[in-house]
Coordinates of all heavy atoms in Angstrom, one line a residue:
M1 N 7.6 14.0 -34.6 CA 8.3 13.8 -33.4 C 7.5 14.0 -32.1 O 7.5 13.1 -31.3 CB 9.6 14.7 -33.4 CG 10.6 14.2 -32.5 SD 11.1 12.5 -32.9 CE 12.8 12.6 -32.8
F2 N 6.8 15.1 -32.1 CA 5.9 15.4 -30.9 C 4.8 14.3 -30.8 O 4.6 13.9 -29.7 CB 5.3 16.8 -31.1 CG 4.3 17.1 -30.0 CD1 4.7 17.4 -28.7 CD2 3.0 17.1 -30.3 CE1 3.7 17.7 -27.8 CE2 2.0 17.3 -29.4 CZ 2.4 17.6 -28.1
L3 N 4.3 14.0 -31.9 CA 3.2 13.0 -31.9 C 3.7 11.6 -31.5 O 3.0 10.9 -30.8 CB 2.5 12.9 -33.3 CG 1.7 14.1 -33.7 CD1 1.1 13.9 -35.1 CD2 0.6 14.4 -32.7
D4 N 4.9 11.3 -31.9 CA 5.5 10.0 -31.4 C 5.7 10.0 -29.9 O 5.4 9.0 -29.3 CB 6.9 9.8 -32.1 CG 6.8 9.5 -33.6 OD1 5.7 9.0 -34.0 OD2 7.7 9.7 -34.3
K5 N 6.2 11.1 -29.4 CA 6.3 11.2 -27.9 C 5.0 11.1 -27.2 O 4.8 10.4 -26.2 CB 7.1 12.4 -27.5 CG 8.5 12.4 -27.8 CD 9.2 13.7 -27.4 CE 10.7 13.7 -27.7 NZ 11.3 14.9 -27.3
K6 N 4.0 11.8 -27.8 CA 2.7 11.8 -27.2 C 2.1 10.4 -27.2 O 1.5 9.9 -26.3 CB 1.8 12.8 -27.9 CG 0.5 13.1 -27.3 CD 0.7 13.8 -26.0 CE -0.6 14.3 -25.4 NZ -0.5 14.8 -24.1
L7 N 2.2 9.7 -28.4 CA 1.7 8.3 -28.6 C 2.4 7.4 -27.6 O 1.7 6.6 -26.9 CB 1.9 7.9 -30.0 CG 1.5 6.4 -30.3 CD1 0.0 6.3 -30.1 CD2 1.8 6.1 -31.7
K8 N 3.7 7.5 -27.4 CA 4.4 6.7 -26.4 C 3.9 6.9 -25.0 O 3.7 6.0 -24.2 CB 5.9 6.9 -26.5 CG 6.7 6.0 -25.7 CD 8.2 6.2 -25.9 CE 8.9 5.2 -24.9 NZ 10.4 5.3 -25.1
S9 N 3.7 8.2 -24.7 CA 3.2 8.5 -23.4 C 1.8 7.9 -23.1 O 1.5 7.4 -22.0 CB 3.1 10.1 -23.2 OG 2.5 10.4 -22.0
I10 N 1.0 8.0 -24.1 CA -0.4 7.4 -24.0 C -0.3 5.9 -23.9 O -1.0 5.3 -23.0 CB -1.2 7.8 -25.3 CG1 -1.6 9.3 -25.2 CG2 -2.5 7.0 -25.3 CD1 -2.2 9.8 -26.5
Q11 N 0.6 5.3 -24.6 CA 0.7 3.8 -24.5 C 1.3 3.4 -23.1 O 0.8 2.4 -22.6 CB 1.7 3.3 -25.6 CG 1.0 3.3 -27.0 CD 2.0 3.0 -28.1 OE1 3.2 3.1 -28.0 NE2 1.5 2.5 -29.2
E12 N 2.2 4.2 -22.6 CA 2.7 3.9 -21.3 C 1.7 4.0 -20.2 O 1.5 3.2 -19.3 CB 3.9 4.7 -21.0 CG 5.2 4.4 -21.7 CD 6.3 5.4 -21.5 OE1 6.1 6.4 -20.9 OE2 7.4 5.1 -22.1
T13 N 0.9 5.1 -20.3 CA -0.3 5.3 -19.4 C -1.3 4.2 -19.5 O -1.8 3.7 -18.5 CB -0.9 6.6 -19.7 OG1 0.0 7.7 -19.6 CG2 -2.1 6.9 -18.7
K14 N -1.6 3.8 -20.8 CA -2.5 2.7 -21.0 C -2.0 1.4 -20.4 O -2.7 0.6 -19.7 CB -2.7 2.5 -22.5 CG -3.7 1.4 -22.8 CD -3.8 1.2 -24.3 CE -4.2 -0.2 -24.6 NZ -3.6 -0.8 -25.8
N15 N -0.7 1.1 -20.5 CA -0.1 -0.1 -19.9 C -0.1 -0.1 -18.4 O -0.4 -1.1 -17.7 CB 1.3 -0.3 -20.4 CG 1.4 -0.7 -21.9 OD1 0.4 -1.2 -22.5 ND2 2.5 -0.4 -22.5
G16 N 0.1 1.1 -17.9 CA 0.0 1.3 -16.4 C -1.4 1.0 -15.9 O -1.6 0.4 -14.9
L17 N -2.4 1.6 -16.6 CA -3.8 1.3 -16.2 C -4.1 -0.2 -16.3 O -4.9 -0.7 -15.5 CB -4.7 2.2 -17.1 CG -4.7 3.7 -16.8 CD1 -5.6 4.4 -17.8 CD2 -5.2 3.9 -15.4
A18 N -3.6 -0.8 -17.4 CA -3.9 -2.2 -17.5 C -3.3 -3.0 -16.4 O -4.0 -4.0 -15.8 CB -3.3 -2.8 -18.8
I19 N -2.1 -2.7 -15.9 CA -1.5 -3.3 -14.8 C -2.4 -3.1 -13.5 O -2.7 -4.0 -12.7 CB -0.1 -2.9 -14.5 CG1 0.8 -3.4 -15.7 CG2 0.5 -3.3 -13.2 CD1 2.2 -2.8 -15.7
C20 N -2.8 -1.8 -13.3 CA -3.7 -1.5 -12.2 C -5.0 -2.3 -12.2 O -5.4 -2.8 -11.2 CB -4.0 0.0 -12.1 SG -2.6 1.0 -11.7
C21 N -5.6 -2.4 -13.4 CA -6.9 -3.2 -13.5 C -6.6 -4.6 -13.2 O -7.4 -5.3 -12.6 CB -7.4 -3.0 -14.9 SG -8.1 -1.3 -15.2
D22 N -5.5 -5.2 -13.7 CA -5.2 -6.6 -13.5 C -5.0 -6.8 -12.0 O -5.5 -7.8 -11.4 CB -4.0 -7.0 -14.3 CG -3.7 -8.5 -14.3 OD1 -4.7 -9.2 -14.4 OD2 -2.6 -8.9 -14.1
L23 N -4.2 -5.9 -11.3 CA -4.0 -6.1 -9.9 C -5.3 -6.0 -9.1 O -5.5 -6.7 -8.1 CB -3.0 -5.0 -9.4 CG -1.6 -5.2 -9.9 CD1 -0.7 -4.0 -9.4 CD2 -0.9 -6.4 -9.3
R24 N -6.2 -5.1 -9.5 CA -7.5 -4.9 -8.8 C -8.3 -6.2 -9.0 O -8.9 -6.7 -8.1 CB -8.2 -3.7 -9.4 CG -9.6 -3.6 -8.8 CD -10.0 -2.1 -8.6 NE -11.3 -2.0 -8.1 CZ -11.6 -2.0 -6.8 NH1 -10.7 -2.2 -6.0 NH2 -12.9 -1.8 -6.5
R25 N -8.3 -6.8 -10.2 CA -9.0 -8.0 -10.4 C -8.5 -9.1 -9.6 O -9.3 -9.9 -9.0 CB -8.9 -8.4 -11.9 CG -9.8 -9.5 -12.3 CD -9.9 -9.7 -13.8 NE -8.6 -9.8 -14.5 CZ -8.1 -8.9 -15.3 NH1 -8.8 -7.8 -15.6 NH2 -6.9 -9.1 -15.9
H26 N -7.2 -9.2 -9.4 CA -6.6 -10.2 -8.5 C -7.0 -10.0 -7.1 O -7.3 -10.9 -6.3 CB -5.1 -10.3 -8.7 CG -4.6 -10.9 -9.9 ND1 -4.8 -12.3 -10.2 CD2 -4.0 -10.4 -11.0 CE1 -4.3 -12.6 -11.4 NE2 -3.8 -11.5 -11.9
L27 N -7.0 -8.7 -6.7 CA -7.3 -8.4 -5.3 C -8.7 -8.8 -5.0 O -9.0 -9.4 -3.9 CB -7.1 -6.9 -5.1 CG -7.5 -6.4 -3.7 CD1 -6.6 -7.0 -2.6 CD2 -7.4 -4.8 -3.6
I28 N -9.6 -8.5 -5.9 CA -11.1 -8.8 -5.7 C -11.2 -10.4 -5.7 O -11.9 -10.9 -4.8 CB -11.9 -8.2 -6.8 CG1 -12.0 -6.7 -6.7 CG2 -13.3 -8.9 -6.9 CD1 -12.7 -6.0 -7.8
H29 N -10.4 -11.1 -6.5 CA -10.5 -12.5 -6.5 C -10.0 -13.1 -5.1 O -10.7 -13.9 -4.5 CB -9.6 -13.1 -7.6 CG -9.4 -14.6 -7.5 ND1 -10.4 -15.4 -7.9 CD2 -8.4 -15.4 -7.1 CE1 -10.1 -16.7 -7.8 NE2 -8.8 -16.7 -7.3
F30 N -9.0 -12.5 -4.5 CA -8.5 -12.9 -3.2 C -9.5 -12.6 -2.1 O -9.7 -13.4 -1.2 CB -7.2 -12.2 -2.9 CG -6.0 -12.7 -3.7 CD1 -5.0 -11.8 -4.1 CD2 -5.9 -14.0 -4.0 CE1 -4.0 -12.2 -4.9 CE2 -4.8 -14.5 -4.8 CZ -3.8 -13.6 -5.2
E31 N -10.2 -11.4 -2.2 CA -11.2 -11.0 -1.2 C -12.3 -12.0 -1.3 O -12.8 -12.4 -0.2 CB -11.6 -9.6 -1.5 CG -10.5 -8.6 -1.1 CD -10.9 -7.1 -1.5 OE1 -12.0 -6.9 -2.1 OE2 -10.2 -6.2 -1.1
V32 N -12.8 -12.3 -2.5 CA -14.0 -13.2 -2.6 C -13.6 -14.6 -2.0 O -14.4 -15.2 -1.3 CB -14.4 -13.3 -4.1 CG1 -15.4 -14.4 -4.3 CG2 -15.0 -12.0 -4.5
R33 N -12.4 -15.0 -2.4 CA -11.9 -16.3 -1.9 C -11.8 -16.3 -0.4 O -12.2 -17.3 0.3 CB -10.6 -16.7 -2.5 CG -10.2 -18.1 -2.2 CD -8.9 -18.5 -3.0 NE -7.8 -17.7 -2.5 CZ -6.7 -17.6 -3.1 NH1 -6.5 -18.2 -4.2 NH2 -5.7 -16.9 -2.6
D34 N -11.3 -15.2 0.2 CA -11.2 -15.1 1.7 C -12.6 -15.1 2.3 O -12.8 -15.7 3.4 CB -10.5 -13.9 2.1 CG -9.0 -14.0 1.8 OD1 -8.5 -15.1 1.6 OD2 -8.3 -12.9 1.9
I35 N -13.6 -14.4 1.7 CA -14.9 -14.4 2.2 C -15.5 -15.8 2.2 O -16.1 -16.3 3.2 CB -15.8 -13.4 1.5 CG1 -15.4 -12.0 1.8 CG2 -17.3 -13.6 1.8 CD1 -16.0 -10.9 0.9
Y36 N -15.3 -16.5 1.1 CA -15.9 -17.9 0.9 C -15.2 -18.8 2.0 O -15.9 -19.5 2.7 CB -15.6 -18.4 -0.5 CG -15.9 -19.8 -0.6 CD1 -17.3 -20.2 -0.8 CD2 -15.0 -20.8 -0.6 CE1 -17.6 -21.6 -0.9 CE2 -15.3 -22.2 -0.7 CZ -16.6 -22.5 -0.8 OH -16.9 -23.9 -0.9
N37 N -13.9 -18.7 2.1 CA -13.2 -19.6 3.1 C -13.6 -19.2 4.5 O -13.8 -20.1 5.3 CB -11.7 -19.4 2.9 CG -11.2 -20.1 1.7 OD1 -11.8 -20.9 1.1 ND2 -10.0 -19.7 1.2
G38 N -13.8 -18.0 4.8 CA -14.3 -17.6 6.1 C -15.7 -18.1 6.4 O -15.9 -18.6 7.5
A39 N -16.5 -18.0 5.4 CA -17.9 -18.5 5.6 C -17.9 -20.0 5.8 O -18.6 -20.5 6.6 CB -18.8 -18.1 4.4
S40 N -17.1 -20.7 5.0 CA -17.0 -22.1 5.1 C -16.5 -22.5 6.5 O -17.0 -23.5 7.1 CB -16.0 -22.6 4.0 OG -15.9 -24.0 4.1
R41 N -15.5 -21.8 7.0 CA -15.0 -22.1 8.3 C -16.0 -21.8 9.4 O -16.2 -22.6 10.4 CB -13.7 -21.3 8.6 CG -12.4 -21.9 8.1 CD -11.2 -21.2 8.7 NE -11.2 -19.8 8.4 CZ -10.7 -19.2 7.4 NH1 -10.2 -19.9 6.4 NH2 -10.7 -17.9 7.2
A42 N -16.7 -20.8 9.2 CA -17.8 -20.4 10.2 C -18.9 -21.5 10.2 O -19.3 -21.9 11.3 CB -18.4 -19.0 9.8
F43 N -19.3 -21.9 9.1 CA -20.3 -23.0 9.0 C -19.8 -24.3 9.6 O -20.5 -25.0 10.3 CB -20.9 -23.2 7.6 CG -21.8 -22.1 7.2 CD1 -21.6 -21.4 6.0 CD2 -22.9 -21.8 8.0 CE1 -22.5 -20.4 5.6 CE2 -23.8 -20.8 7.6 CZ -23.6 -20.1 6.4
S44 N -18.5 -24.6 9.3 CA -17.9 -25.8 9.9 C -17.9 -25.7 11.4 O -18.2 -26.7 12.1 CB -16.5 -26.0 9.3 OG -15.9 -27.1 9.9
N45 N -17.4 -24.6 11.9 CA -17.4 -24.4 13.4 C -18.8 -24.4 14.0 O -19.0 -25.0 15.1 CB -16.7 -23.0 13.7 CG -15.2 -23.1 13.4 OD1 -14.6 -24.1 13.3 ND2 -14.6 -21.9 13.3
L46 N -19.7 -23.8 13.3 CA -21.1 -23.9 13.8 C -21.6 -25.3 13.9 O -22.2 -25.7 14.9 CB -22.0 -23.0 12.9 CG -23.5 -23.0 13.3 CD1 -23.7 -22.4 14.6 CD2 -24.3 -22.2 12.2
S47 N -21.4 -26.1 12.8 CA -21.8 -27.5 12.8 C -21.1 -28.2 13.9 O -21.8 -29.0 14.6 CB -21.4 -28.1 11.5 OG -21.7 -29.4 11.4
L48 N -19.8 -28.0 14.1 CA -19.1 -28.7 15.2 C -19.7 -28.3 16.6 O -19.9 -29.1 17.4 CB -17.6 -28.4 15.1 CG -16.8 -29.1 16.2 CD1 -16.9 -30.6 16.1 CD2 -15.3 -28.6 16.0
G49 N -20.0 -27.0 16.7 CA -20.5 -26.5 18.0 C -21.9 -27.1 18.3 O -22.2 -27.4 19.4
L50 N -22.7 -27.2 17.2 CA -24.0 -27.8 17.4 C -23.9 -29.3 17.8 O -24.7 -29.8 18.7 CB -24.9 -27.7 16.2 CG -25.3 -26.2 15.8 CD1 -26.0 -26.2 14.5 CD2 -26.2 -25.7 16.9
A51 N -23.0 -30.0 17.2 CA -22.8 -31.4 17.6 C -22.3 -31.5 19.0 O -22.8 -32.4 19.8 CB -21.8 -32.0 16.6
V52 N -21.4 -30.7 19.4 CA -20.9 -30.7 20.8 C -22.1 -30.3 21.8 O -22.2 -31.0 22.8 CB -19.7 -29.7 21.0 CG1 -19.4 -29.6 22.5 CG2 -18.5 -30.3 20.3
G53 N -22.8 -29.3 21.4 CA -24.0 -28.9 22.2 C -25.0 -30.0 22.4 O -25.5 -30.3 23.5
E54 N -25.2 -30.8 21.3 CA -26.2 -31.9 21.4 C -25.7 -33.0 22.3 O -26.4 -33.5 23.1 CB -26.4 -32.5 20.0 CG -27.3 -33.6 19.9 CD -27.4 -34.2 18.5 OE1 -26.7 -33.8 17.6 OE2 -28.3 -35.1 18.4
K55 N -24.4 -33.3 22.3 CA -23.8 -34.3 23.2 C -23.9 -33.8 24.6 O -24.2 -34.6 25.5 CB -22.3 -34.5 22.8 CG -22.0 -35.1 21.5 CD -22.0 -36.5 21.6 CE -21.6 -37.1 20.2 NZ -21.8 -38.5 20.1
I56 N -23.6 -32.5 24.9 CA -23.7 -32.0 26.2 C -25.2 -32.1 26.7 O -25.4 -32.6 27.9 CB -23.2 -30.6 26.3 CG1 -21.7 -30.5 26.1 CG2 -23.6 -29.9 27.6 CD1 -21.1 -29.1 25.9
L57 N -26.1 -31.7 25.9 CA -27.5 -31.8 26.3 C -28.0 -33.3 26.6 O -28.7 -33.6 27.5 CB -28.4 -31.2 25.3 CG -28.3 -29.7 25.2 CD1 -29.2 -29.1 24.1 CD2 -28.7 -29.0 26.5
R58 N -27.5 -34.2 25.8 CA -27.8 -35.6 26.0 C -27.2 -36.1 27.3 O -27.8 -36.8 28.1 CB -27.3 -36.5 24.9 CG -28.2 -36.6 23.7 CD -27.8 -37.7 22.8 NE -28.5 -37.6 21.6 CZ -28.1 -37.9 20.4 NH1 -26.9 -38.4 20.3 NH2 -28.8 -37.7 19.3
F59 N -25.9 -35.7 27.6 CA -25.2 -36.1 28.8 C -26.0 -35.5 30.0 O -26.2 -36.3 31.0 CB -23.8 -35.5 28.8 CG -23.0 -35.8 30.0 CD1 -22.6 -37.1 30.3 CD2 -22.8 -34.9 31.0 CE1 -21.9 -37.4 31.4 CE2 -22.1 -35.1 32.1 CZ -21.6 -36.4 32.4
I60 N -26.4 -34.3 29.9 CA -27.2 -33.7 31.1 C -28.5 -34.4 31.2 O -28.9 -34.7 32.3 CB -27.3 -32.1 30.8 CG1 -26.0 -31.4 31.0 CG2 -28.3 -31.6 31.8 CD1 -26.0 -30.0 30.5
G61 N -29.1 -34.6 30.1 CA -30.4 -35.4 30.2 C -30.3 -36.7 30.8 O -31.1 -37.2 31.6
N62 N -29.2 -37.5 30.4 CA -28.9 -38.8 31.0 C -28.6 -38.7 32.5 O -29.0 -39.5 33.3 CB -27.8 -39.5 30.3 CG -28.2 -39.9 28.9 OD1 -29.4 -40.1 28.6 ND2 -27.3 -40.1 28.0
Q63 N -27.9 -37.6 32.9 CA -27.5 -37.5 34.3 C -28.8 -37.2 35.1 O -29.0 -37.7 36.2 CB -26.6 -36.3 34.5 CG -25.2 -36.5 33.9 CD -24.4 -37.6 34.7 OE1 -24.6 -37.7 35.9 NE2 -23.7 -38.5 34.0
N64 N -29.7 -36.4 34.6 CA -31.0 -36.1 35.3 C -31.8 -37.3 35.4 O -32.5 -37.6 36.4 CB -31.7 -34.9 34.6 CG -31.1 -33.6 34.8 OD1 -30.3 -33.4 35.7 ND2 -31.3 -32.6 33.9
H65 N -31.8 -38.1 34.3 CA -32.6 -39.3 34.3 C -32.1 -40.3 35.3 O -32.8 -41.0 36.0 CB -32.6 -39.9 32.9 CG -33.4 -41.2 32.8 ND1 -34.8 -41.2 33.0 CD2 -33.1 -42.5 32.5 CE1 -35.2 -42.4 32.8 NE2 -34.2 -43.2 32.5
D66 N -30.7 -40.4 35.4 CA -30.1 -41.4 36.4 C -30.4 -41.0 37.8 O -30.4 -41.8 38.7 CB -28.6 -41.5 36.1 CG -28.3 -42.2 34.8 OD1 -29.2 -42.8 34.2 OD2 -27.2 -42.0 34.3
H67 N -30.5 -39.7 38.1 CA -30.7 -39.2 39.5 C -32.1 -39.4 40.0 O -32.3 -39.5 41.2 CB -30.3 -37.7 39.6 CG -28.8 -37.5 39.6 ND1 -28.0 -37.9 40.6 CD2 -28.0 -36.8 38.7 CE1 -26.8 -37.6 40.3 NE2 -26.7 -36.9 39.1
R68 N -33.0 -39.6 39.1 CA -34.4 -39.8 39.5 C -34.6 -41.2 39.8 O -34.7 -42.0 40.4 CB -35.3 -39.5 38.3 CG -35.3 -38.0 38.0 CD -36.3 -37.7 37.0 NE -36.2 -36.3 36.7 CZ -36.8 -35.7 35.7 NH1 -37.5 -36.4 34.8 NH2 -36.7 -34.4 35.5

C-alpha cells in the first residue's frame, strides 16, 4: 500500500515535470521565433531606410547640379 502511494506520487511528479519541460520547450520556440521575426523586421526596415536615403541623396545631388 505504501509503495503504491509512493509510486503514484512519483508518477504525478514525473507528469508535472513533463508538463514543465513541454511548456519550456514551447516558450523557447516562441522566443526564437520572436527573435527571428524581429531580426527580419529590422533588416527590412534597414533596407527600406537605405533605399529612402539613396533617393534623398540623389535628389540633393540633382538639386545641387541644377543650381550650378
Side-chain angles (χ1 to χ4, degrees):
M1 197 57 133
F2 173 76
L3 291 178
D4 289 337
K5 287 182 180 180
K6 192 68 172 167
L7 180 61
K8 184 175 181 177
S9 174
I10 291 171
Q11 287 172 337
E12 288 173 354
T13 302
K14 180 183 157 217
N15 291 339
L17 288 174
I19 290 171
C20 289
C21 289
D22 191 43
L23 290 173
R24 177 147 176 85
R25 187 170 51 249
H26 285 294
L27 177 62
I28 289 171
H29 174 75
F30 290 141
E31 289 174 353
V32 168
R33 190 174 64 196
D34 287 345
I35 290 169
Y36 172 78
N37 288 339
S40 178
R41 276 192 304 272
F43 285 125
S44 177
N45 290 340
L46 178 63
S47 177
L48 181 60
L50 290 174
V52 169
E54 181 183 6
K55 296 269 186 193
I56 290 171
L57 289 176
R58 275 196 194 145
F59 178 76
I60 291 171
N62 288 340
Q63 291 293 322
N64 287 340
H65 181 62
D66 291 343
H67 285 294
R68 289 183 184 171

